[in-house]
Amino acid sequence: MAKKVALLQGNEACAQGAVYAGAKFFGGYPITPSTEVAEVLSVELPKVGGKFIQMEDEIAAMASVIGASLTGAKSITATSGPGVSLKQELIGYACIAEVPCVIINVMRGGPSTGMPTGPGQSDVMQAMWGTHGDHAAIALVPDSCQEIFTETVRAFNLAEKYRMPVQVLFDEIVGHMRERIEFPEPGELEVIDREAPSVGPEDYKPYDSTKGQVPPLADFGSEYKYHVTGLNKADDGFPTTKASLVDAEERRQIDKVMDNIADIESSEEYLTEDADVVIWAYGSTSRSARYAVNELRKEGVKAGMFRPITLWPFPAKRTAELAEQAKAIVVAEMNLGQMVLEVERVAKGNCVVAHEGRVDGDPINPGQIMDKVKEVL
């Protein structure tokens, strides 16, 4: 049987991916250029027994997502850079309380209100360092409408598996362009549901590290009763200042991500096997990079492309390997220098690292990338 296909906007594909993943709650506040995610979910979630709430502001939206997730509902919000800024305190809360949820950031220019209808890739450091304190982060950066669908599904899987917030970032270009989407059949893509406690309510501890790096999370409203706080806590969920417990808790929350990088990381490489210069690009910029690679190859330049799909944790190992292989890495991104700092950090001077950025509301075009490549070689 032929699969269902549709011509969808990236934001619409995101909403459909959330439904496929089993999302049952959306809490949000309208903001350009992400609003279509909410519009579609306001229609689709009630069809599958889910709930849609437009809250009074971004802060309340994030709070509603955390609350809904604690009841066992797979939960999502969608916003843009200024909205993510407002959500940061509660994103930190979700990190320390280990509450699974998915945060969609359709990136535009900035800071502040910036350019609401123009594309940007300037929230990529915010996804890692936006909230305070030591914590791990998972952020995914799809580059097509089909990949937005699949990466939204994967974001829910990672959020539930590692019991933490997961961000999906795509720029306004990818969010608003339309492409042919092929809908996976039910069961074709893996869907991970939350692990239930293996003990009864009388023995349950929500942060019991003897159960592994990711203790099971019981549903509020069930027979399980426990305490949730933004303070450092003991395994029963109640606050503690005992140094050994605080240290162990924070390290476990980071280790559960860093010990499982192989499971979390995803990337694509294009003609990097013999590349003298590697174009390091993500989101819509990677589409220009791929075109630039093809044109440069026609001119005899051995160019290739590395495209991170998982941006955080940063793909340090493979980027370092490419720095040892190539003469140069050109980082192309719609900001004035963010991920290039990470590339420089792991390259350790083993090759030239150059940056091609743009923040005027227009996309980085292949010609720009080709000029930069010729400049550095």
Side-chain angles (χ1 to χ4, degrees):
M1 179 182 296
K3 288 185 177 179
K4 177 184 175 183
V5 298
L7 182 66
L8 288 186
Q9 191 186 71
N11 285 345
E12 295 169 342
C14 174
Q16 296 293 344
V19 172
Y20 186 97
K24 288 293 186 289
F25 180 85
F26 177 95
Y29 185 79
I31 181 170
T32 303
S34 73
T35 303
E36 294 86 358
V37 180
E39 289 176 349
V40 174
L41 285 174
S42 71
V43 174
E44 297 298 326
L45 280 180
K47 296 178 183 175
V48 294
K51 305 293 184 186
F52 173 93
I53 301 179
Q54 179 179 318
M55 300 299 288
E56 66 268 33
D57 58 31
E58 296 279 9
I59 300 171
M62 191 65 213
S64 72
V65 165
I66 292 172
S69 179
L70 285 170
T71 70
K74 290 185 177 180
S75 301
I76 181 174
T77 188
T79 185
S80 186
V84 179
S85 296
L86 290 167
K87 294 179 188 295
Q88 287 297 346
E89 181 177 358
L90 284 160
I91 291 174
Y93 186 97
C95 288
I96 197 168
E98 298 182 75
V99 181
C101 55
V102 172
I103 302 157
I104 305 298
N105 179 355
V106 187
M107 294 183 287
R108 67 193 207 189
S112 189
T113 310
M115 190 181 294
T117 56
Q121 294 178 320
S122 54
D123 302 341
V124 288
M125 281 293 184
Q126 183 192 43
M128 176 67 223
W129 304 111
T131 193
H132 62 279
D134 291 304
H135 63 90
I138 299 178
L140 314 177
V141 283
D143 79 336
S144 69
C145 295
Q146 186 75 54
E147 196 168 82
I148 286 175
F149 184 104
T150 56
E151 288 301 294
T152 300
V153 175
R154 195 165 75 94
F156 274 100
N157 288 346
L158 293 170
E160 297 294 334
K161 186 174 184 178
Y162 295 105
R163 194 178 156 179
M164 62 184 291
V166 172
Q167 297 194 43
V168 183
L169 296 87
F170 43 92
D171 50 80
E172 182 274 344
I173 294 172
V174 188
H176 278 162
M177 71 182 182
R178 290 185 179 273
E179 290 181 317
R180 180 182 184 273
I181 295 289
E182 188 173 275
F183 287 86
E185 297 293 335
E188 185 175 341
L189 295 182
E190 182 184 28
V191 171
I192 296 176
D193 294 321
R194 193 171 305 178
E195 181 182 353
S198 58
V199 299
E202 66 281 2
D203 298 318
Y204 177 67
K205 294 178 180 178
Y207 302 98
D208 184 358
S209 60
T210 66
K211 304 300 181 185
Q213 290 179 310
V214 188
L217 180 63
D219 297 346
F220 262 46
S222 67
E223 66 272 30
Y224 290 84
K225 297 179 180 179
Y226 57 95
H227 192 264
V228 179
T229 175
L231 296 166
N232 288 105
K233 68 277 182 190
D235 58 4
D236 60 1
F238 284 91
T240 182
T241 57
K242 188 175 181 179
S244 60
L245 295 180
V246 171
D247 184 81
E249 177 204 27
E250 294 222 9
R251 291 182 187 278
R252 175 182 61 77
Q253 291 189 21
I254 292 175
D255 289 346
K256 71 181 179 182
V257 172
M258 301 311 292
D259 290 349
N260 293 285
I261 282 181
D263 180 50
I264 298 168
E265 273 193 1
S266 178
S267 63
E268 180 195 11
E269 296 190 30
Y270 182 61
L271 300 179
T272 56
E273 296 84 358
D274 63 344
D276 289 330
V277 58
V278 174
I279 302 166
W280 202 101
Y282 52 93
S284 69
T285 305
S286 67
R287 301 166 77 106
S288 292
R290 187 186 303 271
Y291 189 93
V293 166
N294 289 335
E295 293 303 303
L296 287 164
R297 288 268 171 177
K298 291 176 185 175
E299 297 179 16
V301 178
K302 291 182 179 179
M305 180 186 73
F306 177 80
R307 179 173 74 89
I309 301 172
T310 302
L311 198 63
W312 299 109
F314 182 75
K317 181 175 182 293
R318 185 55 186 147
T319 300
E321 291 171 348
L322 291 170
E324 292 180 353
Q325 167 197 317
K327 296 175 182 176
I329 296 177
V330 171
V331 181
E333 50 183 348
M334 283 186 283
N335 57 54
L336 294 181
Q338 295 200 15
M339 296 314 297
V340 66
L341 301 175
E342 287 295 296
V343 175
E344 288 174 341
R345 179 178 66 82
V346 303
K348 296 181 177 178
N350 287 319
C351 73
V352 173
V353 176
H355 184 255
E356 182 63 25
R358 188 164 193 170
V359 290
D360 60 0
D362 284 335
I364 294 178
N365 61 60
Q368 276 183 266
I369 298 171
M370 293 172 67
D371 289 344
K372 179 60 70 173
V373 167
K374 293 172 183 175
E375 178 184 318
V376 300
L377 281 182

